[in-house]
């Protein structure tokens, strides 16, 4: 594993830092994704529910970057249970791609989880997704699945840090992907401000770097070009183990 990527069970490698696109629609989704790709992001997170797959697909094509160089995640909503194959086919059509890199069940369905998961795995086996995972799942919901997902995308920030959750994912061979790294944080917290000052970076960059130090995937969203660039610039500094431990403490 290089510093900026993680290899999922089964061998698919993904960049640890990706671009989040929730609440970006229409022109904003297109422009922000184009800006992210030109800034250097090679991992985009979307979902059927976000209603922006077509704009993201267009941004990817217009970027001129080869499809295989961009890691694309999309998600199926729980209420599409029973219509898994048509849902991924619609996502692929909207994105204008032959496969996604990662397909996630967005939220656990109230009923029929094992059957839904079997269909998701079957779509992977049919070559429509390179690998498959889940989102917003508890460890016990993961244990209901006959084949463990490669990854679980959950709310995660220094203020959510819980060593038990992290260990539960590790024990199952499930990579933790965190969402809403900023929305769930107090960007003015003195601990983050102190670490940021020590490295001449911003508290937002400290949060993203903290995910990287833990090997956690993180997908910050921004429509602001300067923030899009700054959020990717987290490889020119590193946190010390002591700083990581202090930041972990914000979660307790
Ligand atoms: N699986 C799920 O259920 C789920 C749920 C939520 C999110 N997600 C995914 O995770 C992604 C990220 O989460 P999110 O969109 O909820 O929130 P987020 O990335 O934590 O925060 C986005 C907010 O932070 C601001 N921001 C961005 N960069 C900043 C910086 N450097 N300094 C200060 N503020 C900054 C953005 O403002 P501007 O845009 O105005 O710059 C925006 O208001 C989503 O886009 C989506 O892809 C998944």
């Amino acid at each position: 594993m290089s510093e900026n990527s993680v290899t999922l069970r089964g061998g698919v490698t993904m960049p640890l830092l990706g671009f989040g696109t929730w609440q970006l629609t229409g022109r904003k989704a297109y422009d922000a994704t184009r800006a992210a790709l030109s800034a250097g992001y090679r991992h985009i997170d979307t979902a059927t529910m976000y209603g922006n797959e077509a704009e993201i697909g267009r941004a990817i094509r217009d970027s001129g970057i080869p499809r295989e160089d961009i890691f694309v995640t999309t998600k199926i909503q729980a209420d599409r249970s029973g219509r898994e194959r048509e849902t991924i086919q619609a996502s692929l059509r909207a994105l204008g791609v032959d496969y996604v890199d990662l397909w996630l069940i967005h939220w656990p369905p109230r009923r029929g989880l094992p059957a839904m998961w079997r269909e998701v795995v079957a779509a992977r086996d049919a070559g429509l997704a390179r690998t498959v995972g889940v989102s917003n799942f508890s460890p016990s919901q993961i244990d209901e699945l006959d084949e463990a997902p490669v990854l679980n995308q959950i709310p995660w920030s220094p203020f959510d840090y819980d060593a038990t959750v992290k260990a539960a994912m590790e024990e199952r061979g499930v990579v933790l992907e965190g969402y809403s790294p900023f929305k769930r944080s107090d960007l003015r917290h003195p601990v983050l401000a102190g670490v940021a000052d020590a490295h001449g970076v911003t508290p937002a960059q400290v949060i993203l770097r903290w995910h990287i130090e833990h090997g956690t995937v993180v997908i910050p969203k921004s429509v602001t070009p300067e923030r899009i660039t700054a959020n990717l610039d987290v490889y020119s500094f590193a946190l010390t183990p002591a700083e990581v431990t202090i930041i972990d403490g914000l979660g307790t």
Side-chain angles (χ1 to χ4, degrees), residues 19-23 45 50 75 106-107 135-136 153 179-184 187 204 219-224 227 231:
F19 185 65
T21 67
W22 182 37
Q23 295 171 319
D45 182 83
Y50 300 170
K75 315 183 190 86
H106 206 149
W107 289 88
S135 178
N136 299 300
Q153 185 183 114
Y179 69 70
S180 303
F182 304 139
K183 280 189 193 158
R184 303 183 63 86
L187 289 169
I219 43 174
K221 169 264 172 189
S222 178
V223 285
T224 315
R227 286 175 171 175
N231 291 344

PDB file of all heavy atoms in Angstrom, residues 19-23 45 50 75 106-107 135-136 153 179-184 187 204 219-224 227 231, ligand 1:
ATOM      1  N   PHE A  19     -13.174  12.739  -3.632  1.00  0.00           N
ATOM      2  CA  PHE A  19     -13.980  13.957  -3.694  1.00  0.00           C
ATOM      3  C   PHE A  19     -15.454  13.603  -3.446  1.00  0.00           C
ATOM      4  O   PHE A  19     -16.037  12.802  -4.170  1.00  0.00           O
ATOM      5  CB  PHE A  19     -13.810  14.605  -5.076  1.00  0.00           C
ATOM      6  CG  PHE A  19     -14.500  15.933  -5.198  1.00  0.00           C
ATOM      7  CD1 PHE A  19     -14.084  17.011  -4.431  1.00  0.00           C
ATOM      8  CD2 PHE A  19     -15.561  16.097  -6.075  1.00  0.00           C
ATOM      9  CE1 PHE A  19     -14.726  18.246  -4.527  1.00  0.00           C
ATOM     10  CE2 PHE A  19     -16.206  17.334  -6.191  1.00  0.00           C
ATOM     11  CZ  PHE A  19     -15.782  18.406  -5.408  1.00  0.00           C
ATOM     12  N   GLY A  20     -16.047  14.207  -2.417  1.00  0.00           N
ATOM     13  CA  GLY A  20     -17.456  13.977  -2.076  1.00  0.00           C
ATOM     14  C   GLY A  20     -18.355  14.874  -2.913  1.00  0.00           C
ATOM     15  O   GLY A  20     -17.994  16.020  -3.210  1.00  0.00           O
ATOM     16  N   THR A  21     -19.538  14.360  -3.276  1.00  0.00           N
ATOM     17  CA  THR A  21     -20.403  15.156  -4.169  1.00  0.00           C
ATOM     18  C   THR A  21     -21.851  15.265  -3.692  1.00  0.00           C
ATOM     19  O   THR A  21     -22.710  15.672  -4.464  1.00  0.00           O
ATOM     20  CB  THR A  21     -20.396  14.575  -5.599  1.00  0.00           C
ATOM     21  OG1 THR A  21     -21.030  13.282  -5.570  1.00  0.00           O
ATOM     22  CG2 THR A  21     -18.985  14.449  -6.167  1.00  0.00           C
ATOM     23  N   TRP A  22     -22.096  14.919  -2.441  1.00  0.00           N
ATOM     24  CA  TRP A  22     -23.474  15.048  -1.944  1.00  0.00           C
ATOM     25  C   TRP A  22     -23.881  16.524  -1.972  1.00  0.00           C
ATOM     26  O   TRP A  22     -23.063  17.396  -1.652  1.00  0.00           O
ATOM     27  CB  TRP A  22     -23.570  14.496  -0.517  1.00  0.00           C
ATOM     28  CG  TRP A  22     -24.945  14.549   0.051  1.00  0.00           C
ATOM     29  CD1 TRP A  22     -26.119  14.335  -0.621  1.00  0.00           C
ATOM     30  CD2 TRP A  22     -25.295  14.836   1.408  1.00  0.00           C
ATOM     31  NE1 TRP A  22     -27.178  14.462   0.251  1.00  0.00           N
ATOM     32  CE2 TRP A  22     -26.705  14.767   1.495  1.00  0.00           C
ATOM     33  CE3 TRP A  22     -24.562  15.127   2.559  1.00  0.00           C
ATOM     34  CZ2 TRP A  22     -27.396  14.988   2.705  1.00  0.00           C
ATOM     35  CZ3 TRP A  22     -25.234  15.336   3.751  1.00  0.00           C
ATOM     36  CH2 TRP A  22     -26.636  15.269   3.810  1.00  0.00           C
ATOM     37  N   GLN A  23     -25.112  16.798  -2.373  1.00  0.00           N
ATOM     38  CA  GLN A  23     -25.698  18.143  -2.439  1.00  0.00           C
ATOM     39  C   GLN A  23     -25.124  18.989  -3.576  1.00  0.00           C
ATOM     40  O   GLN A  23     -25.367  20.189  -3.647  1.00  0.00           O
ATOM     41  CB  GLN A  23     -25.575  18.875  -1.089  1.00  0.00           C
ATOM     42  CG  GLN A  23     -26.395  18.178  -0.019  1.00  0.00           C
ATOM     43  CD  GLN A  23     -26.172  18.705   1.378  1.00  0.00           C
ATOM     44  OE1 GLN A  23     -25.051  18.993   1.761  1.00  0.00           O
ATOM     45  NE2 GLN A  23     -27.240  18.819   2.142  1.00  0.00           N
ATOM     46  N   ASP A  45     -16.820  10.252  -5.215  1.00  0.00           N
ATOM     47  CA  ASP A  45     -17.886   9.542  -4.499  1.00  0.00           C
ATOM     48  C   ASP A  45     -19.239  10.130  -4.873  1.00  0.00           C
ATOM     49  O   ASP A  45     -19.489  11.311  -4.655  1.00  0.00           O
ATOM     50  CB  ASP A  45     -17.676   9.696  -2.987  1.00  0.00           C
ATOM     51  CG  ASP A  45     -18.726   8.941  -2.189  1.00  0.00           C
ATOM     52  OD1 ASP A  45     -18.551   7.719  -1.998  1.00  0.00           O
ATOM     53  OD2 ASP A  45     -19.736   9.558  -1.796  1.00  0.00           O
ATOM     54  N   TYR A  50     -27.956  11.046  -5.012  1.00  0.00           N
ATOM     55  CA  TYR A  50     -27.463  12.424  -5.152  1.00  0.00           C
ATOM     56  C   TYR A  50     -27.971  13.102  -6.424  1.00  0.00           C
ATOM     57  O   TYR A  50     -27.894  14.322  -6.552  1.00  0.00           O
ATOM     58  CB  TYR A  50     -25.924  12.482  -5.143  1.00  0.00           C
ATOM     59  CG  TYR A  50     -25.257  11.947  -3.886  1.00  0.00           C
ATOM     60  CD1 TYR A  50     -23.884  11.759  -3.828  1.00  0.00           C
ATOM     61  CD2 TYR A  50     -26.001  11.637  -2.748  1.00  0.00           C
ATOM     62  CE1 TYR A  50     -23.262  11.256  -2.686  1.00  0.00           C
ATOM     63  CE2 TYR A  50     -25.391  11.127  -1.614  1.00  0.00           C
ATOM     64  CZ  TYR A  50     -24.028  10.933  -1.592  1.00  0.00           C
ATOM     65  OH  TYR A  50     -23.416  10.438  -0.474  1.00  0.00           O
ATOM     66  N   LYS A  75     -23.709   4.382  -5.164  1.00  0.00           N
ATOM     67  CA  LYS A  75     -24.425   3.652  -4.108  1.00  0.00           C
ATOM     68  C   LYS A  75     -25.859   3.384  -4.527  1.00  0.00           C
ATOM     69  O   LYS A  75     -26.441   4.166  -5.287  1.00  0.00           O
ATOM     70  CB  LYS A  75     -24.445   4.482  -2.809  1.00  0.00           C
ATOM     71  CG  LYS A  75     -23.121   5.113  -2.459  1.00  0.00           C
ATOM     72  CD  LYS A  75     -23.136   5.861  -1.141  1.00  0.00           C
ATOM     73  CE  LYS A  75     -21.866   6.673  -0.961  1.00  0.00           C
ATOM     74  NZ  LYS A  75     -21.907   8.007  -1.566  1.00  0.00           N
ATOM     75  N   HIS A 106     -26.299   1.895   0.232  1.00  0.00           N
ATOM     76  CA  HIS A 106     -26.208   3.211   0.885  1.00  0.00           C
ATOM     77  C   HIS A 106     -26.595   3.166   2.377  1.00  0.00           C
ATOM     78  O   HIS A 106     -25.953   3.792   3.222  1.00  0.00           O
ATOM     79  CB  HIS A 106     -27.113   4.190   0.127  1.00  0.00           C
ATOM     80  CG  HIS A 106     -26.717   5.623   0.241  1.00  0.00           C
ATOM     81  ND1 HIS A 106     -26.941   6.530  -0.756  1.00  0.00           N
ATOM     82  CD2 HIS A 106     -26.111   6.313   1.231  1.00  0.00           C
ATOM     83  CE1 HIS A 106     -26.482   7.717  -0.379  1.00  0.00           C
ATOM     84  NE2 HIS A 106     -25.980   7.600   0.827  1.00  0.00           N
ATOM     85  N   TRP A 107     -27.700   2.491   2.649  1.00  0.00           N
ATOM     86  CA  TRP A 107     -28.164   2.286   4.029  1.00  0.00           C
ATOM     87  C   TRP A 107     -28.686   0.862   4.114  1.00  0.00           C
ATOM     88  O   TRP A 107     -29.218   0.359   3.115  1.00  0.00           O
ATOM     89  CB  TRP A 107     -29.322   3.242   4.368  1.00  0.00           C
ATOM     90  CG  TRP A 107     -28.909   4.667   4.501  1.00  0.00           C
ATOM     91  CD1 TRP A 107     -28.827   5.588   3.504  1.00  0.00           C
ATOM     92  CD2 TRP A 107     -28.518   5.331   5.710  1.00  0.00           C
ATOM     93  NE1 TRP A 107     -28.405   6.791   4.011  1.00  0.00           N
ATOM     94  CE2 TRP A 107     -28.221   6.667   5.369  1.00  0.00           C
ATOM     95  CE3 TRP A 107     -28.404   4.930   7.054  1.00  0.00           C
ATOM     96  CZ2 TRP A 107     -27.798   7.599   6.314  1.00  0.00           C
ATOM     97  CZ3 TRP A 107     -27.993   5.870   7.989  1.00  0.00           C
ATOM     98  CH2 TRP A 107     -27.690   7.179   7.620  1.00  0.00           C
ATOM     99  N   SER A 135     -22.579   0.964   3.409  1.00  0.00           N
ATOM    100  CA  SER A 135     -22.474   2.272   4.039  1.00  0.00           C
ATOM    101  C   SER A 135     -23.494   2.346   5.172  1.00  0.00           C
ATOM    102  O   SER A 135     -24.610   1.829   5.038  1.00  0.00           O
ATOM    103  CB  SER A 135     -22.755   3.365   2.992  1.00  0.00           C
ATOM    104  OG  SER A 135     -22.715   4.634   3.582  1.00  0.00           O
ATOM    105  N   ASN A 136     -23.100   2.972   6.253  1.00  0.00           N
ATOM    106  CA  ASN A 136     -23.978   3.150   7.413  1.00  0.00           C
ATOM    107  C   ASN A 136     -24.387   1.811   8.037  1.00  0.00           C
ATOM    108  O   ASN A 136     -25.509   1.669   8.524  1.00  0.00           O
ATOM    109  CB  ASN A 136     -25.223   3.963   7.024  1.00  0.00           C
ATOM    110  CG  ASN A 136     -24.867   5.348   6.538  1.00  0.00           C
ATOM    111  OD1 ASN A 136     -24.261   6.130   7.275  1.00  0.00           O
ATOM    112  ND2 ASN A 136     -25.209   5.674   5.290  1.00  0.00           N
ATOM    113  N   GLN A 153     -18.709   2.665   4.553  1.00  0.00           N
ATOM    114  CA  GLN A 153     -18.621   4.138   4.562  1.00  0.00           C
ATOM    115  C   GLN A 153     -19.553   4.667   5.657  1.00  0.00           C
ATOM    116  O   GLN A 153     -20.771   4.479   5.570  1.00  0.00           O
ATOM    117  CB  GLN A 153     -19.027   4.693   3.184  1.00  0.00           C
ATOM    118  CG  GLN A 153     -18.835   6.192   3.078  1.00  0.00           C
ATOM    119  CD  GLN A 153     -19.301   6.790   1.746  1.00  0.00           C
ATOM    120  OE1 GLN A 153     -20.260   7.561   1.704  1.00  0.00           O
ATOM    121  NE2 GLN A 153     -18.624   6.451   0.667  1.00  0.00           N
ATOM    122  N   TYR A 179     -17.248   9.628   6.134  1.00  0.00           N
ATOM    123  CA  TYR A 179     -17.886  10.741   5.412  1.00  0.00           C
ATOM    124  C   TYR A 179     -18.147  11.914   6.344  1.00  0.00           C
ATOM    125  O   TYR A 179     -18.077  11.777   7.561  1.00  0.00           O
ATOM    126  CB  TYR A 179     -19.133  10.283   4.646  1.00  0.00           C
ATOM    127  CG  TYR A 179     -20.370   9.869   5.420  1.00  0.00           C
ATOM    128  CD1 TYR A 179     -21.153  10.795   6.115  1.00  0.00           C
ATOM    129  CD2 TYR A 179     -20.815   8.556   5.381  1.00  0.00           C
ATOM    130  CE1 TYR A 179     -22.318  10.423   6.761  1.00  0.00           C
ATOM    131  CE2 TYR A 179     -21.984   8.168   6.030  1.00  0.00           C
ATOM    132  CZ  TYR A 179     -22.738   9.111   6.722  1.00  0.00           C
ATOM    133  OH  TYR A 179     -23.886   8.730   7.357  1.00  0.00           O
ATOM    134  N   SER A 180     -18.413  13.074   5.754  1.00  0.00           N
ATOM    135  CA  SER A 180     -18.665  14.335   6.468  1.00  0.00           C
ATOM    136  C   SER A 180     -17.540  14.697   7.446  1.00  0.00           C
ATOM    137  O   SER A 180     -17.799  15.023   8.608  1.00  0.00           O
ATOM    138  CB  SER A 180     -20.015  14.289   7.187  1.00  0.00           C
ATOM    139  OG  SER A 180     -21.062  14.024   6.295  1.00  0.00           O
ATOM    140  N   PRO A 181     -16.277  14.675   6.978  1.00  0.00           N
ATOM    141  CA  PRO A 181     -15.163  14.952   7.898  1.00  0.00           C
ATOM    142  C   PRO A 181     -15.215  16.352   8.513  1.00  0.00           C
ATOM    143  O   PRO A 181     -14.803  16.528   9.667  1.00  0.00           O
ATOM    144  CB  PRO A 181     -13.925  14.824   6.995  1.00  0.00           C
ATOM    145  CG  PRO A 181     -14.432  15.087   5.598  1.00  0.00           C
ATOM    146  CD  PRO A 181     -15.810  14.492   5.590  1.00  0.00           C
ATOM    147  N   PHE A 182     -15.746  17.325   7.767  1.00  0.00           N
ATOM    148  CA  PHE A 182     -15.784  18.700   8.284  1.00  0.00           C
ATOM    149  C   PHE A 182     -17.094  18.991   9.006  1.00  0.00           C
ATOM    150  O   PHE A 182     -17.113  19.630  10.049  1.00  0.00           O
ATOM    151  CB  PHE A 182     -15.600  19.719   7.148  1.00  0.00           C
ATOM    152  CG  PHE A 182     -14.342  19.500   6.358  1.00  0.00           C
ATOM    153  CD1 PHE A 182     -14.346  19.625   4.975  1.00  0.00           C
ATOM    154  CD2 PHE A 182     -13.149  19.164   6.981  1.00  0.00           C
ATOM    155  CE1 PHE A 182     -13.182  19.428   4.236  1.00  0.00           C
ATOM    156  CE2 PHE A 182     -11.985  18.960   6.256  1.00  0.00           C
ATOM    157  CZ  PHE A 182     -12.000  19.087   4.870  1.00  0.00           C
ATOM    158  N   LYS A 183     -18.196  18.530   8.397  1.00  0.00           N
ATOM    159  CA  LYS A 183     -19.500  18.841   8.995  1.00  0.00           C
ATOM    160  C   LYS A 183     -19.600  18.286  10.406  1.00  0.00           C
ATOM    161  O   LYS A 183     -20.336  18.815  11.233  1.00  0.00           O
ATOM    162  CB  LYS A 183     -20.614  18.228   8.142  1.00  0.00           C
ATOM    163  CG  LYS A 183     -20.961  19.025   6.913  1.00  0.00           C
ATOM    164  CD  LYS A 183     -22.206  18.432   6.297  1.00  0.00           C
ATOM    165  CE  LYS A 183     -22.429  18.979   4.909  1.00  0.00           C
ATOM    166  NZ  LYS A 183     -23.287  18.063   4.136  1.00  0.00           N
ATOM    167  N   ARG A 184     -18.888  17.197  10.678  1.00  0.00           N
ATOM    168  CA  ARG A 184     -18.976  16.563  11.974  1.00  0.00           C
ATOM    169  C   ARG A 184     -17.884  17.056  12.924  1.00  0.00           C
ATOM    170  O   ARG A 184     -17.699  16.505  14.008  1.00  0.00           O
ATOM    171  CB  ARG A 184     -18.915  15.038  11.826  1.00  0.00           C
ATOM    172  CG  ARG A 184     -20.012  14.515  10.894  1.00  0.00           C
ATOM    173  CD  ARG A 184     -19.997  13.026  10.810  1.00  0.00           C
ATOM    174  NE  ARG A 184     -20.275  12.408  12.079  1.00  0.00           N
ATOM    175  CZ  ARG A 184     -21.488  12.165  12.544  1.00  0.00           C
ATOM    176  NH1 ARG A 184     -22.555  12.488  11.839  1.00  0.00           N
ATOM    177  NH2 ARG A 184     -21.649  11.594  13.729  1.00  0.00           N
ATOM    178  N   LEU A 187     -14.180  22.980  13.487  1.00  0.00           N
ATOM    179  CA  LEU A 187     -12.935  23.378  12.815  1.00  0.00           C
ATOM    180  C   LEU A 187     -12.151  24.415  13.629  1.00  0.00           C
ATOM    181  O   LEU A 187     -11.000  24.703  13.328  1.00  0.00           O
ATOM    182  CB  LEU A 187     -13.231  23.911  11.410  1.00  0.00           C
ATOM    183  CG  LEU A 187     -13.690  22.857  10.379  1.00  0.00           C
ATOM    184  CD1 LEU A 187     -14.205  23.513   9.110  1.00  0.00           C
ATOM    185  CD2 LEU A 187     -12.570  21.892  10.045  1.00  0.00           C
ATOM    186  N   ALA A 204      -8.684  22.038   8.730  1.00  0.00           N
ATOM    187  CA  ALA A 204      -9.317  21.114   7.774  1.00  0.00           C
ATOM    188  C   ALA A 204      -8.274  20.133   7.238  1.00  0.00           C
ATOM    189  O   ALA A 204      -8.529  18.920   7.125  1.00  0.00           O
ATOM    190  CB  ALA A 204      -9.960  21.901   6.623  1.00  0.00           C
ATOM    191  N   ILE A 219     -13.532  11.540   2.106  1.00  0.00           N
ATOM    192  CA  ILE A 219     -14.076  12.098   0.857  1.00  0.00           C
ATOM    193  C   ILE A 219     -14.659  13.495   1.081  1.00  0.00           C
ATOM    194  O   ILE A 219     -15.873  13.700   1.009  1.00  0.00           O
ATOM    195  CB  ILE A 219     -15.140  11.127   0.281  1.00  0.00           C
ATOM    196  CG1 ILE A 219     -16.057  10.589   1.397  1.00  0.00           C
ATOM    197  CG2 ILE A 219     -14.481   9.984  -0.461  1.00  0.00           C
ATOM    198  CD1 ILE A 219     -17.228   9.738   0.892  1.00  0.00           C
ATOM    199  N   PRO A 220     -13.798  14.498   1.358  1.00  0.00           N
ATOM    200  CA  PRO A 220     -14.300  15.851   1.580  1.00  0.00           C
ATOM    201  C   PRO A 220     -15.002  16.415   0.345  1.00  0.00           C
ATOM    202  O   PRO A 220     -14.579  16.152  -0.779  1.00  0.00           O
ATOM    203  CB  PRO A 220     -13.023  16.645   1.864  1.00  0.00           C
ATOM    204  CG  PRO A 220     -11.938  15.890   1.165  1.00  0.00           C
ATOM    205  CD  PRO A 220     -12.330  14.437   1.303  1.00  0.00           C
ATOM    206  N   LYS A 221     -16.051  17.196   0.605  1.00  0.00           N
ATOM    207  CA  LYS A 221     -16.796  17.864  -0.480  1.00  0.00           C
ATOM    208  C   LYS A 221     -16.529  19.360  -0.405  1.00  0.00           C
ATOM    209  O   LYS A 221     -16.469  19.946   0.685  1.00  0.00           O
ATOM    210  CB  LYS A 221     -18.294  17.579  -0.310  1.00  0.00           C
ATOM    211  CG  LYS A 221     -19.209  18.413  -1.192  1.00  0.00           C
ATOM    212  CD  LYS A 221     -19.736  19.639  -0.458  1.00  0.00           C
ATOM    213  CE  LYS A 221     -20.484  20.597  -1.350  1.00  0.00           C
ATOM    214  NZ  LYS A 221     -20.798  21.885  -0.674  1.00  0.00           N
ATOM    215  N   SER A 222     -16.382  19.993  -1.549  1.00  0.00           N
ATOM    216  CA  SER A 222     -16.342  21.463  -1.598  1.00  0.00           C
ATOM    217  C   SER A 222     -16.735  21.929  -2.990  1.00  0.00           C
ATOM    218  O   SER A 222     -16.457  21.248  -3.974  1.00  0.00           O
ATOM    219  CB  SER A 222     -14.942  21.989  -1.249  1.00  0.00           C
ATOM    220  OG  SER A 222     -14.939  23.398  -1.354  1.00  0.00           O
ATOM    221  N   VAL A 223     -17.366  23.107  -3.040  1.00  0.00           N
ATOM    222  CA  VAL A 223     -17.605  23.752  -4.343  1.00  0.00           C
ATOM    223  C   VAL A 223     -16.600  24.864  -4.575  1.00  0.00           C
ATOM    224  O   VAL A 223     -16.608  25.497  -5.612  1.00  0.00           O
ATOM    225  CB  VAL A 223     -19.011  24.403  -4.449  1.00  0.00           C
ATOM    226  CG1 VAL A 223     -20.077  23.359  -4.622  1.00  0.00           C
ATOM    227  CG2 VAL A 223     -19.300  25.340  -3.289  1.00  0.00           C
ATOM    228  N   THR A 224     -15.757  25.120  -3.564  1.00  0.00           N
ATOM    229  CA  THR A 224     -14.859  26.272  -3.621  1.00  0.00           C
ATOM    230  C   THR A 224     -13.506  25.838  -4.184  1.00  0.00           C
ATOM    231  O   THR A 224     -12.823  25.009  -3.569  1.00  0.00           O
ATOM    232  CB  THR A 224     -14.661  26.825  -2.186  1.00  0.00           C
ATOM    233  OG1 THR A 224     -15.938  26.875  -1.543  1.00  0.00           O
ATOM    234  CG2 THR A 224     -14.015  28.187  -2.188  1.00  0.00           C
ATOM    235  N   ARG A 227     -10.559  25.564  -1.810  1.00  0.00           N
ATOM    236  CA  ARG A 227     -10.689  24.482  -0.822  1.00  0.00           C
ATOM    237  C   ARG A 227     -10.507  23.123  -1.492  1.00  0.00           C
ATOM    238  O   ARG A 227      -9.921  22.213  -0.907  1.00  0.00           O
ATOM    239  CB  ARG A 227     -12.061  24.539  -0.168  1.00  0.00           C
ATOM    240  CG  ARG A 227     -12.201  25.678   0.821  1.00  0.00           C
ATOM    241  CD  ARG A 227     -13.626  25.721   1.319  1.00  0.00           C
ATOM    242  NE  ARG A 227     -13.798  26.636   2.419  1.00  0.00           N
ATOM    243  CZ  ARG A 227     -14.981  26.925   2.957  1.00  0.00           C
ATOM    244  NH1 ARG A 227     -16.075  26.360   2.472  1.00  0.00           N
ATOM    245  NH2 ARG A 227     -15.056  27.755   3.957  1.00  0.00           N
ATOM    246  N   ASN A 231      -7.732  20.794   0.065  1.00  0.00           N
ATOM    247  CA  ASN A 231      -8.128  19.532   0.700  1.00  0.00           C
ATOM    248  C   ASN A 231      -7.329  18.337   0.160  1.00  0.00           C
ATOM    249  O   ASN A 231      -7.276  17.298   0.806  1.00  0.00           O
ATOM    250  CB  ASN A 231      -9.628  19.283   0.526  1.00  0.00           C
ATOM    251  CG  ASN A 231     -10.477  20.266   1.324  1.00  0.00           C
ATOM    252  OD1 ASN A 231      -9.977  20.943   2.220  1.00  0.00           O
ATOM    253  ND2 ASN A 231     -11.754  20.362   0.992  1.00  0.00           N
TER     254      ASN A 231
HETATM  255  N1  LIG B   1     -22.872   7.340   2.760  1.00  0.00           N
HETATM  256  C1  LIG B   1     -23.579   8.329   3.267  1.00  0.00           C
HETATM  257  O1  LIG B   1     -24.664   8.150   3.835  1.00  0.00           O
HETATM  258  C2  LIG B   1     -23.028   9.724   3.176  1.00  0.00           C
HETATM  259  C3  LIG B   1     -23.602  10.748   3.964  1.00  0.00           C
HETATM  260  C4  LIG B   1     -23.040  12.025   3.869  1.00  0.00           C
HETATM  261  C5  LIG B   1     -21.969  12.259   3.032  1.00  0.00           C
HETATM  262  N2  LIG B   1     -21.462  11.250   2.250  1.00  0.00           N
HETATM  263  C6  LIG B   1     -20.337  11.499   1.308  1.00  0.00           C
HETATM  264  O2  LIG B   1     -19.290  12.155   2.004  1.00  0.00           O
HETATM  265  C7  LIG B   1     -18.988  13.387   1.344  1.00  0.00           C
HETATM  266  C8  LIG B   1     -18.467  14.416   2.338  1.00  0.00           C
HETATM  267  O3  LIG B   1     -19.412  14.693   3.338  1.00  0.00           O
HETATM  268  P1  LIG B   1     -20.316  16.007   3.357  1.00  0.00           P
HETATM  269  O4  LIG B   1     -20.518  16.535   1.997  1.00  0.00           O
HETATM  270  O5  LIG B   1     -21.517  15.652   4.161  1.00  0.00           O
HETATM  271  O6  LIG B   1     -19.512  17.037   4.236  1.00  0.00           O
HETATM  272  P2  LIG B   1     -18.002  17.561   4.431  1.00  0.00           P
HETATM  273  O7  LIG B   1     -17.148  17.145   3.293  1.00  0.00           O
HETATM  274  O8  LIG B   1     -17.620  17.186   5.818  1.00  0.00           O
HETATM  275  O9  LIG B   1     -18.215  19.113   4.466  1.00  0.00           O
HETATM  276  C9  LIG B   1     -18.598  19.869   3.373  1.00  0.00           C
HETATM  277  C10 LIG B   1     -18.705  21.302   3.898  1.00  0.00           C
HETATM  278  O10 LIG B   1     -17.416  21.738   4.349  1.00  0.00           O
HETATM  279  C11 LIG B   1     -17.029  22.899   3.629  1.00  0.00           C
HETATM  280  N3  LIG B   1     -15.588  22.803   3.379  1.00  0.00           N
HETATM  281  C12 LIG B   1     -14.960  22.073   2.424  1.00  0.00           C
HETATM  282  N4  LIG B   1     -13.627  22.220   2.507  1.00  0.00           N
HETATM  283  C13 LIG B   1     -13.390  23.072   3.532  1.00  0.00           C
HETATM  284  C14 LIG B   1     -12.207  23.618   4.091  1.00  0.00           C
HETATM  285  N5  LIG B   1     -10.995  23.303   3.608  1.00  0.00           N
HETATM  286  N6  LIG B   1     -12.326  24.453   5.140  1.00  0.00           N
HETATM  287  C15 LIG B   1     -13.548  24.761   5.642  1.00  0.00           C
HETATM  288  N7  LIG B   1     -14.716  24.268   5.149  1.00  0.00           N
HETATM  289  C16 LIG B   1     -14.630  23.430   4.097  1.00  0.00           C
HETATM  290  C17 LIG B   1     -17.838  22.882   2.372  1.00  0.00           C
HETATM  291  O11 LIG B   1     -18.055  24.201   1.896  1.00  0.00           O
HETATM  292  P3  LIG B   1     -17.998  24.633   0.333  1.00  0.00           P
HETATM  293  O12 LIG B   1     -18.564  23.503  -0.470  1.00  0.00           O
HETATM  294  O13 LIG B   1     -18.853  25.852   0.331  1.00  0.00           O
HETATM  295  O14 LIG B   1     -16.567  24.909   0.023  1.00  0.00           O
HETATM  296  C18 LIG B   1     -19.143  22.255   2.818  1.00  0.00           C
HETATM  297  O15 LIG B   1     -19.967  23.231   3.457  1.00  0.00           O
HETATM  298  C19 LIG B   1     -20.313  13.749   0.672  1.00  0.00           C
HETATM  299  O16 LIG B   1     -20.181  14.764  -0.269  1.00  0.00           O
HETATM  300  C20 LIG B   1     -20.714  12.405   0.137  1.00  0.00           C
HETATM  301  O17 LIG B   1     -19.975  12.095  -1.038  1.00  0.00           O
HETATM  302  C21 LIG B   1     -21.957   9.982   2.327  1.00  0.00           C
END
